[in-house]
Amino acid sequence: MAVRGVIDGIASPDELRRALEGAQYLAGEDLAVAAYLALALGKPLLLEGVPGVGKTEAAKAIGAVLTRRVIRLQCYEGIDASVALYEWNFPRQMLAIRQAGEAWVNLYGDEFLMSRPLLDSLRDPAASLLLVDEIDRSDHEFEAFLLEYLSDFTISIPETGTVRAAVHPVVVLTSNRTRELHEALRRRCVYHWIDYPDAELEARIVMARASTVAHETARAVVASVTRMRAEPLVKPPGISETVEWAEAATLLRSQGMPWPDAFRRAIGVAIKDMDDQAYLDPQLDRVLPAMAA
């Protein structure tokens, strides 16, 4: 396997981390190293972690840094190859037959081919990033099909022939680990587990994404969210909820509402499950950010 070293102007993990920060994504050192190695080695990057830690945003930020179009394949239970690969536009084919009369029509021209994410990534591999989001939500059959794609980066279209990528596409897979992925898929990837960031980094993320939020507010909100994540919640607040809660409470505060009331009134921005809200309600004073009224 050829090692490229410099990828789209990125020559080291530190350069990638700084570039990601410029794209408003504050990555830890370990993530920057894993992402750089995946790019340099021409291997897919597999990001696992609980929901809300920024796996999808990491892929989008890498696409932004590389100035590549992000092609997203959202996985779900029952997804099949036609959704991921291509489909023939049958209604348009039938219309072409009626319009042609007795003339011959090539029903398998590009004008009838509806390209899906995997085919898109092969057609333009140097200018795109394929994001296979939440691969753990698909079934084992689709995972096996994806494994074949990642092995050869080719797609066989029986009516027209084989499409092969001129270079290996940049591929990022994400998983919430709702089920174990096949070992063969893991072997083909550079793996990284994304955890919740430490308090200082998460406060920096809040301020980077919400310019109206002061540092003191960001630190207080992060401390509160950290306490919430330690509780047995169905849906603990992720990083995006932390940012939005800080922003929402700051907005209410700017309209004259005291801090405790602002955080309490905006709780639906952070906690988005009825049972979780009912569980936290009796102890909100304990978990709310410690800010002077």
Side-chain angles (χ1 to χ4, degrees):
M1 179 185 298
V3 179
R4 291 178 283 177
V6 179
I7 311 96
D8 292 4
I10 303 297
S12 70
D14 282 342
E15 281 192 21
L16 179 57
R17 184 173 55 82
R18 289 193 295 269
L20 288 171
E21 187 169 345
Q24 300 296 302
Y25 188 91
L26 304 184
E29 182 180 349
D30 291 344
L31 172 57
V33 170
Y36 171 77
L37 289 177
L39 295 171
L41 298 174
K43 296 171 70 71
L45 174 64
L46 172 58
L47 300 176
E48 277 197 328
V50 298
V53 294
K55 302 182 295 296
T56 300
E57 290 304 312
K60 292 178 179 178
I62 293 171
V65 164
L66 301 178
T67 62
R68 294 182 178 225
R69 176 172 65 102
V70 175
I71 302 172
R72 183 175 181 176
L73 174 61
Q74 177 63 55
C75 296
Y76 53 87
E77 185 177 354
I79 187 174
D80 60 19
S82 64
V83 175
L85 286 176
Y86 66 90
E87 287 183 287
W88 292 107
N89 191 329
F90 181 73
R92 191 171 180 182
Q93 287 173 322
M94 292 300 98
L95 179 61
I97 291 174
R98 287 196 295 269
Q99 291 177 338
E102 296 183 1
W104 181 82
V105 179
N106 177 16
L107 296 178
Y108 299 109
D110 281 346
E111 66 270 27
F112 301 113
L113 184 64
M114 297 189 294
S115 183
R116 301 306 188 205
L118 297 189
L119 182 55
D120 280 344
S121 70
L122 296 188
R123 285 178 155 180
D124 194 15
S128 61
L129 179 150
L130 175 65
L131 167 59
V132 184
D133 218 3
E134 297 184 320
I135 179 63
D136 55 314
R137 294 182 62 184
S138 66
D139 54 30
H140 292 285
E141 289 75 13
F142 183 79
E143 187 180 338
F145 156 76
L146 184 63
L147 181 63
E148 183 179 354
Y149 163 86
L150 294 175
S151 298
D152 301 323
F153 291 108
T154 62
I155 291 175
S156 177
I157 303 177
E159 299 84 358
T160 62
T162 299
V163 179
R164 184 183 303 274
V167 295
H168 279 193
V170 175
V171 181
V172 179
L173 303 93
T174 73
S175 167
N176 295 328
R177 207 170 186 179
T178 58
R179 67 171 178 84
E180 284 294 329
L181 301 179
H182 197 282
E183 187 61 30
L185 180 66
R186 291 181 178 274
R187 282 200 304 270
R188 281 166 173 76
C189 301
V190 174
Y191 175 84
H192 181 68
W193 172 268
I194 298 185
D195 208 341
Y196 291 116
D198 60 48
E200 186 57 37
L201 178 56
E202 191 163 7
R204 288 177 57 206
I205 292 171
V206 170
M207 290 185 294
R209 297 191 180 181
S211 59
T212 60
V213 176
H215 187 228
E216 180 188 3
T217 306
R219 289 172 64 92
V221 169
V222 167
S224 177
V225 167
T226 300
R227 290 192 291 271
M228 291 179 181
R229 289 172 183 158
E231 300 292 338
L233 302 181
V234 176
K235 296 180 180 179
I239 297 173
S240 62
E241 282 79 21
T242 306
V243 174
E244 292 167 0
W245 193 28
E247 200 168 27
T250 299
L251 175 61
L252 294 179
R253 172 62 174 166
S254 70
Q255 297 172 354
M257 189 177 294
W259 274 122
D261 290 342
F263 286 120
R264 187 175 287 104
R265 294 289 181 87
I267 193 68
V269 177
I271 303 299
K272 301 178 180 179
D273 181 85
M274 179 184 69
D275 293 334
D276 288 346
Q277 287 194 1
Y279 172 82
L280 288 175
D281 188 62
Q283 50 184 327
L284 268 184
D285 290 340
R286 179 178 65 84
V287 298
L288 284 177
M291 298 281 289

